[in-house]
Amino acid sequence: FKTTLEKGGKFINQLDKKGEEALRRRERAKIGQELFSVKSDIPLQFPAAFTFVFRAFTTLDGIGKTLDPKYDLTKIAQPYLKDLVDLRDGNAYISILNSFAKRVGWRWEDIAALVTSPRKIAHTDEVVRKLEEGEIKLQVRVIESEISFKRLEA
């Protein structure tokens, strides 16, 4: 943002199609360089099945772009990938709730505590009330005192 303002550049929504595509290519190249630097630091191995699937997708993408220059596999696959991402928790509603809770900063433990706290407080209040009315009696064993009494009796 600061670089764009200082250099008199344009934001992505102000670019024409060629400028937008050039920006995307630069970003992809930057990501590729970062991945390559990570690869040189840490050895990374893909399963054989992954490489075959990747090769199949790149072949399909190449055939599609040869037949139609406007072909874009990512735009075609986007709705299906969105469905897969939405169903990562087994249910789209649960995924929405989890993503909302993550954005807000809620943890399920906090929500559970919020829900169960009134019952716990009511139970504690009931026990205190019964103690005050004498319905139940509190007995406490102090081991040190019992040992001292046994010594005095002996």
Side-chain angles (χ1 to χ4, degrees), residues 2 19 25 33-34 40 45 55-56 62 68 73 77 80-81 83 112 118 122 128 134 152:
K2 188 175 180 182
R25 285 178 196 237
Q33 289 173 351
E34 290 174 4
S40 64
Q45 295 179 345
R55 185 174 180 186
D68 183 10
L73 183 63
Y80 302 105
L81 293 174
D83 289 342
V128 170
L152 289 175

mmCIF file of all heavy atoms in Angstrom, residues 2 19 25 33-34 40 45 55-56 62 68 73 77 80-81 83 112 118 122 128 134 152:
data_model
loop_
_atom_site.group_PDB
_atom_site.id
_atom_site.type_symbol
_atom_site.label_atom_id
_atom_site.label_comp_id
_atom_site.label_asym_id
_atom_site.label_seq_id
_atom_site.Cartn_x
_atom_site.Cartn_y
_atom_site.Cartn_z
ATOM 1 N N LYS A 2 1.834 1.276 0.923
ATOM 2 C CA LYS A 2 2.713 2.434 1.030
ATOM 3 C C LYS A 2 3.563 2.587 -0.230
ATOM 4 O O LYS A 2 3.751 3.693 -0.735
ATOM 5 C CB LYS A 2 3.609 2.267 2.258
ATOM 6 C CG LYS A 2 4.427 3.477 2.591
ATOM 7 C CD LYS A 2 5.189 3.250 3.882
ATOM 8 C CE LYS A 2 6.013 4.466 4.224
ATOM 9 N NZ LYS A 2 6.796 4.266 5.445
ATOM 10 N N GLY A 19 -2.128 -5.231 -17.378
ATOM 11 C CA GLY A 19 -1.423 -4.881 -16.148
ATOM 12 C C GLY A 19 -1.776 -5.824 -15.013
ATOM 13 O O GLY A 19 -0.921 -6.205 -14.212
ATOM 14 N N ARG A 25 1.394 -12.471 -12.632
ATOM 15 C CA ARG A 25 2.589 -13.247 -12.994
ATOM 16 C C ARG A 25 3.751 -12.926 -12.052
ATOM 17 O O ARG A 25 4.489 -13.809 -11.641
ATOM 18 C CB ARG A 25 2.989 -12.965 -14.442
ATOM 19 C CG ARG A 25 2.086 -13.637 -15.432
ATOM 20 C CD ARG A 25 2.505 -13.295 -16.847
ATOM 21 N NE ARG A 25 1.424 -13.628 -17.750
ATOM 22 C CZ ARG A 25 1.548 -14.457 -18.763
ATOM 23 N NH1 ARG A 25 2.704 -14.995 -19.029
ATOM 24 N NH2 ARG A 25 0.520 -14.721 -19.532
ATOM 25 N N GLN A 33 9.613 -18.372 -6.218
ATOM 26 C CA GLN A 33 10.953 -18.185 -5.662
ATOM 27 C C GLN A 33 10.988 -18.520 -4.177
ATOM 28 O O GLN A 33 11.935 -19.130 -3.686
ATOM 29 C CB GLN A 33 11.419 -16.753 -5.891
ATOM 30 C CG GLN A 33 11.741 -16.439 -7.330
ATOM 31 C CD GLN A 33 12.027 -14.954 -7.551
ATOM 32 O OE1 GLN A 33 11.821 -14.142 -6.660
ATOM 33 N NE2 GLN A 33 12.470 -14.618 -8.753
ATOM 34 N N GLU A 34 9.934 -18.131 -3.456
ATOM 35 C CA GLU A 34 9.874 -18.446 -2.031
ATOM 36 C C GLU A 34 9.797 -19.950 -1.808
ATOM 37 O O GLU A 34 10.460 -20.497 -0.923
ATOM 38 C CB GLU A 34 8.681 -17.745 -1.383
ATOM 39 C CG GLU A 34 8.840 -16.249 -1.274
ATOM 40 C CD GLU A 34 7.587 -15.563 -0.754
ATOM 41 O OE1 GLU A 34 6.613 -16.268 -0.405
ATOM 42 O OE2 GLU A 34 7.585 -14.332 -0.697
ATOM 43 N N SER A 40 15.183 -25.582 -1.071
ATOM 44 C CA SER A 40 16.625 -25.727 -0.923
ATOM 45 C C SER A 40 17.016 -25.887 0.544
ATOM 46 O O SER A 40 18.030 -26.509 0.841
ATOM 47 C CB SER A 40 17.344 -24.531 -1.539
ATOM 48 O OG SER A 40 17.013 -23.352 -0.839
ATOM 49 N N GLN A 45 9.557 -34.104 -0.471
ATOM 50 C CA GLN A 45 9.260 -35.191 -1.380
ATOM 51 C C GLN A 45 7.756 -35.320 -1.531
ATOM 52 O O GLN A 45 7.024 -35.340 -0.544
ATOM 53 C CB GLN A 45 9.833 -36.504 -0.865
ATOM 54 C CG GLN A 45 11.340 -36.518 -0.808
ATOM 55 C CD GLN A 45 11.875 -37.819 -0.269
ATOM 56 O OE1 GLN A 45 11.146 -38.598 0.317
ATOM 57 N NE2 GLN A 45 13.158 -38.053 -0.479
ATOM 58 N N ARG A 55 0.763 -33.884 -13.156
ATOM 59 C CA ARG A 55 1.087 -33.963 -14.580
ATOM 60 C C ARG A 55 -0.191 -34.028 -15.416
ATOM 61 O O ARG A 55 -0.285 -33.397 -16.482
ATOM 62 C CB ARG A 55 1.962 -35.184 -14.841
ATOM 63 C CG ARG A 55 2.441 -35.282 -16.248
ATOM 64 C CD ARG A 55 3.400 -36.418 -16.394
ATOM 65 N NE ARG A 55 3.859 -36.512 -17.764
ATOM 66 C CZ ARG A 55 4.606 -37.469 -18.232
ATOM 67 N NH1 ARG A 55 4.994 -38.437 -17.436
ATOM 68 N NH2 ARG A 55 4.972 -37.482 -19.483
ATOM 69 N N ALA A 56 -1.188 -34.786 -14.962
ATOM 70 C CA ALA A 56 -2.452 -34.884 -15.690
ATOM 71 C C ALA A 56 -3.141 -33.516 -15.760
ATOM 72 O O ALA A 56 -3.649 -33.119 -16.817
ATOM 73 C CB ALA A 56 -3.362 -35.903 -15.020
ATOM 74 N N GLY A 62 -2.826 -27.475 -20.554
ATOM 75 C CA GLY A 62 -2.148 -27.154 -21.814
ATOM 76 C C GLY A 62 -3.029 -27.404 -23.026
ATOM 77 O O GLY A 62 -3.085 -26.589 -23.954
ATOM 78 N N ASP A 68 -8.484 -23.195 -26.691
ATOM 79 C CA ASP A 68 -9.174 -21.933 -26.423
ATOM 80 C C ASP A 68 -8.257 -21.044 -25.583
ATOM 81 O O ASP A 68 -7.993 -21.356 -24.420
ATOM 82 C CB ASP A 68 -10.486 -22.201 -25.670
ATOM 83 C CG ASP A 68 -11.291 -20.948 -25.425
ATOM 84 O OD1 ASP A 68 -10.955 -19.876 -25.993
ATOM 85 O OD2 ASP A 68 -12.270 -21.020 -24.662
ATOM 86 N N LEU A 73 -8.287 -23.067 -16.157
ATOM 87 C CA LEU A 73 -8.664 -24.202 -15.323
ATOM 88 C C LEU A 73 -9.036 -23.765 -13.915
ATOM 89 O O LEU A 73 -9.944 -24.335 -13.301
ATOM 90 C CB LEU A 73 -7.520 -25.222 -15.273
ATOM 91 C CG LEU A 73 -7.786 -26.504 -14.494
ATOM 92 C CD1 LEU A 73 -8.928 -27.290 -15.133
ATOM 93 C CD2 LEU A 73 -6.531 -27.350 -14.428
ATOM 94 N N ALA A 77 -12.447 -24.782 -11.999
ATOM 95 C CA ALA A 77 -12.378 -25.624 -10.807
ATOM 96 C C ALA A 77 -12.780 -24.892 -9.529
ATOM 97 O O ALA A 77 -13.049 -25.534 -8.513
ATOM 98 C CB ALA A 77 -10.960 -26.164 -10.649
ATOM 99 N N TYR A 80 -15.930 -26.037 -7.493
ATOM 100 C CA TYR A 80 -15.755 -27.368 -6.921
ATOM 101 C C TYR A 80 -14.782 -27.339 -5.751
ATOM 102 O O TYR A 80 -14.998 -27.995 -4.732
ATOM 103 C CB TYR A 80 -15.270 -28.349 -7.995
ATOM 104 C CG TYR A 80 -16.215 -28.440 -9.159
ATOM 105 C CD1 TYR A 80 -15.921 -27.838 -10.372
ATOM 106 C CD2 TYR A 80 -17.435 -29.094 -9.038
ATOM 107 C CE1 TYR A 80 -16.792 -27.902 -11.443
ATOM 108 C CE2 TYR A 80 -18.315 -29.172 -10.099
ATOM 109 C CZ TYR A 80 -17.989 -28.570 -11.302
ATOM 110 O OH TYR A 80 -18.862 -28.630 -12.341
ATOM 111 N N LEU A 81 -13.727 -26.572 -5.896
ATOM 112 C CA LEU A 81 -12.766 -26.442 -4.808
ATOM 113 C C LEU A 81 -13.395 -25.730 -3.616
ATOM 114 O O LEU A 81 -13.109 -26.064 -2.465
ATOM 115 C CB LEU A 81 -11.515 -25.702 -5.278
ATOM 116 C CG LEU A 81 -10.670 -26.440 -6.309
ATOM 117 C CD1 LEU A 81 -9.538 -25.550 -6.800
ATOM 118 C CD2 LEU A 81 -10.127 -27.724 -5.742
ATOM 119 N N ASP A 83 -16.525 -25.894 -2.751
ATOM 120 C CA ASP A 83 -17.347 -26.895 -2.077
ATOM 121 C C ASP A 83 -16.502 -27.821 -1.211
ATOM 122 O O ASP A 83 -16.879 -28.165 -0.091
ATOM 123 C CB ASP A 83 -18.136 -27.723 -3.091
ATOM 124 C CG ASP A 83 -19.257 -26.926 -3.743
ATOM 125 O OD1 ASP A 83 -19.634 -25.872 -3.191
ATOM 126 O OD2 ASP A 83 -19.750 -27.360 -4.803
ATOM 127 N N ALA A 112 -18.165 -23.291 25.552
ATOM 128 C CA ALA A 112 -18.669 -24.325 26.456
ATOM 129 C C ALA A 112 -18.703 -23.811 27.892
ATOM 130 O O ALA A 112 -19.670 -24.061 28.628
ATOM 131 C CB ALA A 112 -17.814 -25.578 26.356
ATOM 132 N N PRO A 118 -23.609 -20.929 34.078
ATOM 133 C CA PRO A 118 -24.813 -20.674 34.877
ATOM 134 C C PRO A 118 -25.284 -21.913 35.652
ATOM 135 O O PRO A 118 -25.700 -21.798 36.814
ATOM 136 C CB PRO A 118 -25.862 -20.261 33.839
ATOM 137 C CG PRO A 118 -25.067 -19.716 32.701
ATOM 138 C CD PRO A 118 -23.811 -20.520 32.681
ATOM 139 N N ALA A 122 -25.458 -22.133 39.682
ATOM 140 C CA ALA A 122 -26.717 -22.500 40.333
ATOM 141 C C ALA A 122 -26.517 -23.683 41.276
ATOM 142 O O ALA A 122 -27.065 -23.710 42.388
ATOM 143 C CB ALA A 122 -27.777 -22.830 39.281
ATOM 144 N N VAL A 128 -24.616 -24.166 48.878
ATOM 145 C CA VAL A 128 -24.422 -23.181 49.945
ATOM 146 C C VAL A 128 -25.723 -22.957 50.715
ATOM 147 O O VAL A 128 -25.731 -22.863 51.948
ATOM 148 C CB VAL A 128 -23.868 -21.857 49.369
ATOM 149 C CG1 VAL A 128 -23.901 -20.745 50.406
ATOM 150 C CG2 VAL A 128 -22.460 -22.060 48.840
ATOM 151 N N GLY A 134 -28.859 -26.116 57.029
ATOM 152 C CA GLY A 134 -28.579 -27.301 57.837
ATOM 153 C C GLY A 134 -29.044 -28.599 57.203
ATOM 154 O O GLY A 134 -29.063 -29.629 57.878
ATOM 155 N N LEU A 152 -1.759 -37.417 71.965
ATOM 156 C CA LEU A 152 -2.187 -36.953 73.291
ATOM 157 C C LEU A 152 -2.889 -38.070 74.046
ATOM 158 O O LEU A 152 -2.747 -38.164 75.272
ATOM 159 C CB LEU A 152 -3.133 -35.749 73.141
ATOM 160 C CG LEU A 152 -2.488 -34.449 72.686
ATOM 161 C CD1 LEU A 152 -3.578 -33.389 72.472
ATOM 162 C CD2 LEU A 152 -1.493 -33.950 73.728
#
